[in-house]
Structure formats: structure tokens, C-alpha cells
Amino acid sequence: MKKQLFFLIWLLVFYAGNAQSSKYIKGEVKDSVRINNADASETYASYVPSAYDESKRWPVVYVFDPSGNGQEAIKRFTAGAEEYGYVVIASNTVKNGSYQENFMKISKLLNDVNASFSVAPDRIVFAGFSGGARLATSSAVLAKNISAVIGCGASFDIGGEYMPVKNTFMYIGLIGDEDFNYIEMLDGIYYLNSRNFDSELFFFNGGHEWPNEEYISKALRTLTVKYMAKGLVTRNESLLERCFQKDFNFADELYNKGELVNSYEAFEALIENYKFFKEVDSLKDKMKEIKRSKLYKAQLSEYRRVYQAETLYREDYYSFLPGDIELADTRNLTYWSDEIEKINELEKSPKLENQKMAKRLKGLLGGLAKMYENQLIPETQAESLLFINIFYTLLTPDKNEPYLKTVQLSTLLGKYDMALYYLEELLKKGYKDVAVLDNLEGIALLRISTEYNDLLTKYNLRTRY
């Protein structure tokens, strides 16, 4: 019933009204645009190209940031939107949270945009980062009339309630090569390809973050060419040539940097996207040349090895960490100490792919722990919170906050020996902020103990007692 309600509301979008100019500034970002007939807190950032003309229909990209920071997220889209002619709408209201609530907010957003902008209903794009990417795909599955999804930093839950099944939209994924969702994105693309979706995946150097303007522009450029191929946009020879040259340079640059597997895939996408417009035999020859290379074969073998190894690590971590957090038996931290040491060894490996895998695995463990930490109730689940913070001291020993929280929580639970141990571990790292220790909530009984003050004296710090 909820799916049907969402869909019925969605149908209203393309029968709402005509464009008006009060909600945008040509060639500039306009933030905090109010949604008509909605709560005052529901706003978005808008961008229209300098050439925007209300007498024409324009493709619209809706952007969902996991924290609802539309003004920040839209900045990555403006260069590509200006060059390739897209309206961009970035919500300040839609953020990580209840899907049903977000679906309703998206419906109101769509209605408002359709009444205020000149929208091409056959070129609506949903884009997002992390949780926003998952929401973008889920919304496209429900809406049925979305032409494309640009998913950054996450794909979707395979087997979940809103998993794509029918290939009703194109999909472009962008993922950092150190992003902990890297394997998830690969699996998502493999799945979409198996369902005959028109899908592509671009890799950039980075972690769990929005791609830069260059990669967002490439995504919009790719959609523009695909729209031409589908007959949704009038063929423009000069634009096609510019797009082709940029995409060729992208593939060729990867080749020149020695990233032969990525270069091969980029040339393959080039052929697929431009085969109706350009002669592609020379590109096919280039692919054959790459495929014969020993370096290509070695890189492909290395990627496959890392994929298999990382998949096994991820399966173990998803299986064990939630249960260990719930059980809160600190003896199980020995296992995690050993696992993190293995990851540290990978990080020291001379092989670049091992180093990247290590960063992704650390990001995954940190993300999983944070997700469960946010769900815990301090008053009733202090033991689990203690387990998580000790886990953080293993995973990110350079950060002070987990040590301080461990001291707090272990004192709260009456585990004074543990509190003193982690206090000393913190002091060993060179921590000297006595003012923070003096004001740390919940450790008053620890602070007046002889052992506590002896520790401060041992490390030449001021004592109060």
C-alpha cells in the first residue's frame, strides 16, 4: 500500500504546472529554496545553466546527500551541469533515515520542482552519495519513470525490499578505490549487468567521499551521449565530438598511467557509448593490444585475488562483529586485535592493491562499529559501548577520544583497573590535556583515587588530589 501511495503521488509530478523563475538564478547556486505547500524546514539548493530557457525542456538531476547538505553536494555538479545542460536540485531535507519519510519528502520536492522549472520528464536523474545513493536507487525502483541513477560511494542492498529487478533506468556508479563500499559496488554492478541494465562503473582515487567535479561531469557527459543514442536528445555533432574526445582522453590517460584494467574497461565503455556515432574499429584494436599485455594480465589476476580475499574478510566481519558487540565480552577483542594486526600488515605490503584493501577493510570495520554505536542506549547498553570503544583503540590507536570514552565507561561500570589501564595507554601516547581529564564526566570516583593521581604524577602531569 505504501509503495502504491508513493507511486500515485509521483504521477502527479508531471501534471503539476508550468515553470516560474523565482527559485533559481541562472549560472549560480541558489540555496534554501522553499518547497511550496510544505513545512518551512523543507528546502533545497538549485542550479540552472546560464543558457537555461524556460521555453525548452531540461533534464533534472536530484541530488541526495546523506546528511542533507544540499548546498555542499550541489557544488560537485555545477561544472558538468553548465557544460552539458542539466538542472540540478539538491535536497537539504532528504537525509539518512526512514525511507518512507524520505519518499514522501521526495514526492513534495518533485512536485515543487516541476511547478517551478521546465522539466524534461523523460530525463529525470536521481543521484546520491552513500546512504543517499541507496535512497536514489530505491526511489528509482518505486518511481518507474526515472531515466538514470548516479550512485556514489554505495550501491544498493541486493536481496533487499527495493532491489532493482526490471531495467527501467540506466545506472552509473562512482566509487573511490579506498572506499569500504568498493566490493559492494562491484557486486552491485555485476548484479545489474546480469539483469541487462545499462550500467557503468567509474573508479577514482579516494575513500568514502563524494567524487570530484571531473568524475561527476563524466557521469553527466555519459548520460548525455546515452540520451542521444536513445533519441531523447537531438543529435549534436559538435557536442558529440567534444564528449568523445574527453572520454577518449580519459581512457588513454589511464593507459598512459599503466592502469591497464581500468583503461580496458574505459575503452570498452567508449565503444558501447559511441558505436552509433563513430568508427570504433581503432578502439577495438586498442583493446586487443591492452589485452595481450603481460601487465594487463598481471593486474587482472591481482584484482581478482584481492576481490576474493576482501570478500572473505567482509563476510567474516559482517558475521562476527555485530554479535560480539551485542555479547560485549571483552575477551573476544583478542580476535579483533589479531584481525587488525593482519590488516596493518597488508597496509605495509609493497603491493598497492593490498594497501588499498587494508584501508577499505579498516573503513568497513569503523563504519560497522559506528553504525551499531549509534543504535545503542548508554543507560542500558554501556557494556556494548565499552566494547566498541576498546575496539576503536585497536582500530585507530592514534585517536584520543576512544581512550577517554573507555575510561568513562569502565569507571561507570566499576571496572577501575580497566579504566586505569586505558588511561595509562592514553598517557603513553603523549596525551597531556589535564583540563579535559579534570572535566571528564562520570569519573569523579576514579579521579580521587591514589592510583589515578599516581599515574598523572608518573607522566609529569598536574594532580588535583
Side-chain angles (χ1 to χ4, degrees):
M1 180 60 187
K2 288 180 178 177
K3 288 185 179 182
Q4 292 174 340
L5 175 62
F6 178 67
F7 182 55
L8 288 172
I9 292 172
W10 198 284
L11 285 176
L12 297 176
V13 170
F14 300 115
Y15 301 93
N18 297 316
Q20 53 183 313
S21 60
S22 62
K23 298 196 174 188
Y24 60 83
I25 304 171
K26 290 184 180 182
E28 296 182 24
V29 172
K30 184 170 183 177
D31 191 33
S32 302
V33 180
R34 287 276 304 276
I35 295 177
N36 295 336
N37 303 315
D39 185 273
S41 64
E42 296 192 42
T43 68
Y44 57 87
S46 69
Y47 180 86
V48 302
S50 302
Y52 181 76
D53 180 352
E54 291 181 353
S55 68
K56 301 177 182 178
R57 296 290 184 179
W58 295 77
V60 179
V61 182
Y62 291 89
V63 181
F64 307 129
D65 182 80
S67 58
N69 192 344
Q71 184 181 24
E72 184 62 30
I74 201 170
K75 293 176 182 177
R76 294 161 177 80
F77 288 79
T78 54
E82 181 69 24
E83 184 169 6
Y84 303 112
Y86 287 79
V87 171
V88 185
I89 304 295
S91 175
N92 291 318
T93 310
V94 175
K95 62 184 72 174
N96 283 355
S98 164
Y99 268 26
Q100 296 306 322
E101 290 180 9
N102 278 327
F103 290 155
M104 297 303 293
K105 290 175 181 178
I106 291 171
S107 292
K108 286 186 281 186
L109 176 65
L110 287 163
N111 282 318
D112 189 79
V113 169
N114 192 62
S116 308
F117 298 79
S118 185
V119 178
D122 55 356
R123 286 175 285 153
I124 304 298
V125 181
F126 280 175
F129 166 66
S130 194
R134 300 186 200 282
L135 178 64
T137 303
S138 299
S139 300
V141 168
L142 289 185
K144 310 299 183 187
N145 52 10
I146 301 305
S147 69
V149 170
I150 300 175
C152 308
S155 59
F156 48 86
D157 297 324
I158 296 179
E161 183 177 2
Y162 304 111
M163 179 181 70
V165 177
K166 296 181 180 179
N167 57 340
T168 58
F169 56 85
M170 298 179 286
Y171 186 92
I172 295 178
L174 298 100
I175 191 78
D177 56 7
E178 295 177 4
D179 193 321
F180 55 80
N181 284 327
Y182 176 87
I183 295 294
E184 173 196 296
M185 186 67 91
L186 286 175
D187 288 342
I189 290 294
Y190 295 154
Y191 167 81
L192 291 175
N193 289 341
S194 75
R195 305 291 303 193
N196 296 317
F197 277 73
D198 184 348
S199 60
E200 293 189 32
L201 178 59
F202 306 141
F203 303 99
F204 61 91
N205 296 326
H208 191 60
E209 57 193 309
W210 274 106
N212 63 26
E213 286 187 355
E214 177 188 356
Y215 279 86
I216 296 295
S217 293
K218 177 167 176 54
L220 295 179
R221 181 168 66 247
T222 299
L223 288 180
T224 299
V225 174
K226 289 178 182 291
Y227 286 145
M228 285 192 201
K230 293 174 181 290
L232 298 177
V233 179
T234 302
R235 180 165 173 167
N236 182 321
E237 294 298 338
S238 62
L239 177 59
L240 268 174
E241 186 58 38
R242 289 204 316 272
C243 291
F244 176 82
Q245 195 58 53
K246 286 189 176 185
D247 285 336
F248 177 86
N249 290 344
F250 178 84
D252 198 44
E253 183 178 351
L254 290 172
Y255 177 82
N256 291 332
K257 290 193 297 186
E259 297 180 24
L260 297 194
V261 173
N262 291 338
S263 176
Y264 181 90
E265 293 178 353
F267 277 115
E268 187 175 44
L270 196 64
I271 291 171
E272 182 63 27
N273 291 333
Y274 291 91
K275 62 186 178 183
F276 298 115
F277 310 118
K278 306 281 290 185
E279 182 278 317
V280 296
D281 286 346
S282 60
L283 301 177
K284 292 179 180 178
D285 290 340
K286 186 69 173 180
M287 288 178 64
K288 290 177 183 177
E289 174 193 333
I290 293 172
K291 203 168 186 178
R292 287 193 294 265
S293 164
K294 291 182 179 179
L295 179 58
Y296 169 83
K297 293 175 182 177
Q299 287 181 354
L300 185 61
S301 175
E302 182 71 355
Y303 288 156
R304 287 171 175 169
R305 178 191 68 79
V306 167
Y307 173 82
Q308 292 172 353
E310 191 168 346
T311 297
L312 292 175
Y313 276 117
R314 287 170 61 89
E315 288 174 355
D316 284 348
Y317 297 164
Y318 274 108
S319 296
F320 300 147
L321 187 57
D324 284 351
I325 290 172
E326 184 178 1
L327 187 61
D329 186 343
T330 53
R331 290 174 296 183
N332 291 334
L333 287 163
T334 301
Y335 167 80
W336 292 109
S337 178
D338 291 342
E339 287 300 302
I340 291 169
E341 185 54 38
K342 291 178 187 176
I343 296 174
N344 289 337
E345 289 302 313
L346 284 174
E347 206 164 16
K348 298 173 186 175
S349 168
K351 293 185 176 181
L352 181 60
E353 292 308 312
N354 280 350
Q355 297 171 24
K356 291 179 180 179
M357 175 167 62
K359 291 179 179 178
R360 294 193 294 263
L361 291 174
K362 283 189 173 181
L364 174 66
L365 288 174
L368 278 175
K370 189 65 177 177
M371 180 179 69
Y372 285 101
E373 182 183 13
N374 290 339
Q375 297 171 3
L376 295 175
I377 303 170
E379 292 77 13
T380 58
Q381 296 173 299
E383 292 278 5
S384 291
L385 283 170
L386 176 61
F387 183 96
I388 287 175
N389 278 282
I390 297 175
F391 177 82
Y392 286 150
T393 67
L394 300 172
L395 186 66
T396 55
D398 55 318
K399 294 184 178 180
N400 296 327
E401 189 65 21
Y403 290 90
L404 292 169
K405 286 187 176 180
T406 298
V407 171
Q408 277 182 305
L409 289 163
S410 51
T411 301
L412 172 69
L413 294 166
K415 300 181 178 184
Y416 297 108
D417 287 344
M418 180 180 287
L420 291 167
Y421 173 82
Y422 282 97
L423 174 60
E424 182 159 22
E425 290 299 301
L426 178 62
L427 298 178
K428 283 179 182 178
K429 293 181 337 104
Y431 187 81
K432 297 183 181 301
D433 198 338
V434 178
V436 170
L437 294 174
D438 285 346
N439 293 287
L440 197 60
E441 292 183 7
I443 69 163
L445 291 177
L446 184 70
R447 259 195 303 266
I448 63 175
S449 70
T450 301
E451 293 84 355
Y452 176 91
N453 288 279
D454 286 347
L455 265 182
L456 295 188
T457 301
K458 178 179 177 180
Y459 289 90
N460 300 314
L461 300 177
R462 171 183 55 79
T463 62
R464 294 177 63 182
Y465 302 98

